[in-house]
């Protein structure tokens, strides 16, 4: 079981030679944020880009659901929309946004319109009972006006390795190789940022 | 009966896609269903027409083509005659206000029956012949989605329209007959191969072959050739053939 806090501690411990103290240059909050970003990068590089052409489904381990997001009405255009809780992994066909559905109907998912300028009102009304939607920035717009007729809240499932929803002590759904990859990558990227003397004699600043 | 949603999701499952391609597949399912509909699945609907002051009626939303236009009188159908040369009427009829006749009276008048039938096309009046019936004529104006009549004097008996419907229920789903479900699915696969940017031409041709097989199977199921049917056809053809002595 790995948590963001545990990864942060391992990294700081490694970098300070096992003697972290208040004088060192590592702030846990920033380290945790960096690890969070790197986890997503590793997820993409290690797992998703190595998929064979037959593996088209999203990795279920890294899906995270946000529930009870209220449907709102845009003042200017009158369109119904819901706010994205956070951004997700950039995948082909916008598959990082894995699913949108009414919270009470988890398997009656909506379907995305990738080019609403072309297809809006073309295939929607008569062909399917499902709700079409498209994304603009951090908003998900629903094409049908009756989207909030029976249910006022939607859920969104995002593909993301370390979502902001998970606190520093929450268990992350990570594979063990991802954890070690992230620590190694953190150290690698930290190297050019180290002070010059530390690069040359390989001694920590506080040890001098 | 299966709906297009079912077929589109099945085809998505064949490739392991998620909902990200659903819209595209649903569109192809629609066109595949349309192929079925044009050959086999069409249905005819009957609806009363509400005719306005300009002697025209709006066509239903799911109208494809007309079958018959009639009114019922003493338990028999009296059909109107389709005349494609009937003069197209304007959307408003100003002369109606000046002639002070009711719609019923105007329809019965000789002026309407003989003089207004072909509008300004005077020469057509002399070629009327058998078209000069007393029931009336109609023509379909596809551009304005209206059905136009030259006479409507059947206020008590509503004029009925029997038409081929495209079966789209605007609140629900299109249903595909069970025989044609696989045909629509194969149509989706063919279209995907055809429009694929990376696929080859031969892949699309193979997919087309699969679709043709599924279509043949569907048509066979819709119109099965049975021994009984063949014998009936032979019998009727014999009885209809001219007798030779």
């Amino acid at each position: 079981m790995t948590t963001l806090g545990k990864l942060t501690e391992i990294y700081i411990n490694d970098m300070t030679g096992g003697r972290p103290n208040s004088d060192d240059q590592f702030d846990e909050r920033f380290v945790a944020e960096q690890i969070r970003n790197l986890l997503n990068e590793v997820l993409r590089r290690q797992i998703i880009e190595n998929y064979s052409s037959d593996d088209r489904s999203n990795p279920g381990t890294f899906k995270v659901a946000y529930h009870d997001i209220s449907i709102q009405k845009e003042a200017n255009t009158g369109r119904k929309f819901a706010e994205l809780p956070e951004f997700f992994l950039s995948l082909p066909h916008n598959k990082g946004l894995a699913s949108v559905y009414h919270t009470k109907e988890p398997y009656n998912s909506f379907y995305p319109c990738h080019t609403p300028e072309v297809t809006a009102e073309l295939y929607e009304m008569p062909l399917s009972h499902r709700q079409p939607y498209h994304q603009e920035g951090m908003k998900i717009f629903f094409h049908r006006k009756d989207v909030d007729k029976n249910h006022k809240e939607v859920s969104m499932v995002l593909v993301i390795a370390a979502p902001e929803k998970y606190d520093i002590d929450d268990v992350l759904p990570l594979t063990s190789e991802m954890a070690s990859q992230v620590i190694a990558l953190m150290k690698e990227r930290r190297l050019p940022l180290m002070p010059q003397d530390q690069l040359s004699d390989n001694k920590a600043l506080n040890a001098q | 009966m299966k709906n297009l949603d079912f077929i589109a999701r099945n085809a998505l499952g064949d490739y392991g896609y998620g909902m990200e391609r659903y819209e595209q597949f649903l569109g192809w399912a629609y066109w595949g269903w349309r192929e079925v509909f044009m050959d086999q699945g069409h249905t005819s609907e009957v609806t009363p027409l509400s005719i306005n002051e300009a002697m025209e009626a709006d066509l239903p939303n799911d109208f494809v083509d007309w079958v018959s236009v009639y009114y019922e009188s003493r338990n028999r159908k009296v059909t109107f005659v389709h005349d494609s040369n009937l003069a197209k009427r304007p959307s408003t009829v100003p002369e109606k206000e000046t002639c002070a006749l009711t719609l019923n009276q105007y329809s019965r008048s000789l002026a309407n029956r003989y003089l207004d039938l072909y509008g300004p096309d005077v020469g057509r009046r002399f070629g009327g012949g058998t078209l000069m019936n007393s029931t009336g004529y109609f023509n379909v104006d596809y551009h304005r989605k209206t059905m136009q009549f030259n006479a409507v004097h059947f206020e008590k008996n509503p004029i009925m329209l029997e038409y081929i419907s495209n079966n789209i229920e605007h609140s629900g789903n299109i249903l595909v007959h069970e025989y044609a479900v696989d045909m629509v699915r194969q149509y989706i696969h063919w279209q995907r191969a055809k429009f694929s940017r990376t696929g080859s031409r031969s892949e699309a041709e193979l997919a087309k072959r699969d679709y043709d097989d599924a279509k043949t199977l569907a048509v066979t199921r819709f119109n099965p050739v049975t021994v009984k049917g063949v014998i009936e056809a032979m019998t009727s053809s014999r009885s209809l053939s001219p007798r030779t002595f």
Side-chain angles (χ1 to χ4, degrees):
Chain A
M1 297 290 209
T2 311
T3 65
L4 207 53
K6 204 189 273 185
L7 286 176
T8 309
E9 268 183 38
I10 291 171
Y11 172 73
I12 293 175
N13 195 52
D14 281 3
M15 295 302 285
T16 54
R19 295 191 302 274
N21 57 57
S22 55
D23 291 336
D24 63 37
Q25 51 190 318
F26 299 107
D27 186 326
E28 277 190 10
R29 287 172 304 170
F30 293 117
V31 172
E33 197 55 38
Q34 271 181 309
I35 290 179
R36 198 191 288 277
N37 291 336
L38 266 178
L39 277 170
N40 283 315
E41 193 182 321
V42 169
L43 169 67
R44 187 187 176 84
R45 203 190 313 178
Q46 296 292 317
I47 298 176
I48 291 172
E49 286 183 3
N50 287 334
Y51 270 9
S52 73
S53 57
D54 286 338
D55 297 329
R56 295 187 179 92
S57 54
N58 276 332
T61 314
F62 306 105
K63 283 181 183 173
V64 56
Y66 288 84
H67 297 300
D68 295 326
I69 305 166
S70 58
I71 299 171
Q72 305 171 53
K73 190 174 179 181
E74 197 177 47
N76 297 339
T77 60
R79 295 181 294 179
K80 304 277 174 69
F81 73 95
E83 294 269 5
L84 264 176
E86 68 170 305
F87 224 74
F88 42 83
L89 223 58
S90 159
L91 298 176
H93 295 291
N94 214 22
K95 273 164 50 173
L97 178 55
S99 182
V100 182
Y101 52 82
H102 281 130
T103 304
K104 300 290 181 194
E105 297 179 344
Y107 294 109
N108 192 6
S109 56
F110 303 176
Y111 68 90
C113 296
H114 300 297
T115 49
E117 300 83 1
V118 177
T119 54
E121 298 183 2
L122 189 60
Y123 297 137
E124 292 169 5
M125 290 303 286
L127 296 192
S128 177
H129 61 281
R130 292 170 187 278
Q131 294 280 350
Y133 70 86
H134 75 273
Q135 185 190 348
E136 283 178 20
M138 292 296 281
K139 288 178 182 173
I140 299 295
F141 285 97
F142 306 108
H143 292 196
R144 293 190 190 167
K145 289 179 179 170
D146 64 347
V147 64
D148 55 353
K149 189 180 174 188
N150 297 325
H151 305 285
K152 307 289 181 196
E153 284 92 23
V154 292
S155 296
M156 294 184 196
V157 181
L158 314 178
V159 178
I160 188 164
E164 288 172 17
K165 178 182 179 179
Y166 292 166
D167 203 2
I168 199 156
D169 293 326
D170 288 336
V171 176
L172 289 176
L174 290 185
T175 57
S176 50
E177 68 266 27
M178 274 176 75
S180 57
Q181 280 279 342
V182 163
I183 297 295
L185 260 177
M186 282 285 285
K187 287 179 185 171
E188 190 183 302
R189 293 194 178 180
R190 186 73 195 178
L191 213 56
L193 301 177
M194 283 182 174
Q196 193 61 37
D197 62 333
Q198 203 175 1
L199 279 177
S200 56
D201 60 12
N202 203 23
K203 283 182 184 170
L205 278 177
N206 52 11
Q208 290 174 356
Chain B
M1 301 286 259
K2 298 280 188 293
N3 59 18
L4 293 189
D5 176 75
F6 174 90
I7 300 173
R9 281 190 295 129
N10 257 288
L12 285 169
D14 292 345
Y15 288 105
Y17 290 146
M19 290 299 277
E20 72 276 358
R21 301 286 295 269
Y22 176 83
E23 184 191 27
Q24 196 177 22
F25 276 50
L26 187 69
W28 285 329
Y30 170 76
W31 290 107
W33 165 81
R34 191 174 170 280
E35 287 293 305
V36 183
F37 169 77
M38 288 300 176
D39 289 338
Q40 305 291 340
H42 55 254
T43 57
S44 64
E45 306 279 339
V46 177
T47 182
L49 289 173
S50 61
I51 295 169
N52 64 13
E53 289 289 304
M55 281 198 279
E56 62 183 15
D58 289 335
L59 292 174
N61 285 329
D62 53 347
F63 179 86
V64 175
D65 204 354
W66 62 271
V67 176
S68 66
V69 183
Y70 61 90
Y71 71 96
E72 287 185 6
S73 172
R74 293 171 193 157
N75 291 330
R76 74 185 176 94
K77 285 181 182 176
V78 182
T79 52
F80 286 76
V81 177
H82 177 240
D83 184 2
S84 57
N85 289 316
L86 199 67
K88 293 276 193 301
R89 290 172 184 282
S91 55
T92 55
V93 187
E95 67 268 25
K96 171 69 184 58
E97 296 168 6
T98 54
C99 76
L101 291 174
T102 64
L103 192 64
N104 208 0
Q105 287 168 336
Y106 179 74
S107 296
R108 288 173 187 278
S109 69
L110 284 175
N112 174 59
R113 192 170 301 168
Y114 294 114
L115 303 182
D116 205 21
L117 185 58
Y118 295 116
D121 187 6
V122 181
R124 293 290 305 174
R125 290 178 202 154
F126 301 102
T130 53
L131 284 178
M132 292 295 179
N133 74 11
S134 60
T135 309
Y137 304 94
F138 71 92
N139 195 9
V140 180
D141 190 343
Y142 286 99
H143 295 291
R144 281 171 47 209
K145 284 190 75 179
T146 57
M147 180 163 276
Q148 300 186 334
F149 292 83
N150 82 314
V152 277
H153 46 276
F154 308 100
E155 288 174 342
K156 289 182 181 173
N157 302 326
I159 296 175
M160 308 296 285
L161 166 67
E162 186 180 357
Y163 64 101
I164 295 176
S165 157
N166 68 5
N167 207 16
I168 293 180
E169 296 171 22
H170 286 268
S171 58
N173 300 310
I174 292 174
L175 293 173
V176 180
H177 195 282
E178 202 70 42
Y179 288 161
V181 167
D182 190 49
M183 174 186 160
V184 176
R185 191 169 133 262
Q186 294 296 343
Y187 181 89
I188 295 173
H189 291 335
W190 169 38
Q191 295 296 298
R192 193 206 64 84
K194 187 175 159 187
F195 292 112
S196 168
R197 288 171 195 164
T198 53
S200 64
R201 190 77 192 160
S202 59
E203 192 187 342
E205 281 174 13
L206 283 173
K208 170 79 166 63
R209 230 176 275 175
D210 287 344
Y211 165 68
D212 285 343
D213 289 348
K215 187 173 184 179
T216 307
L217 189 59
V219 170
T220 313
R221 281 172 172 162
F222 274 121
N223 304 311
V225 180
T226 58
V227 174
K228 190 184 169 193
V230 171
I231 291 172
E232 275 179 9
M234 286 168 67
T235 314
S236 57
S237 66
R238 265 184 64 191
S239 63
L240 286 173
S241 61
R243 185 173 293 178
T244 54
F245 294 98

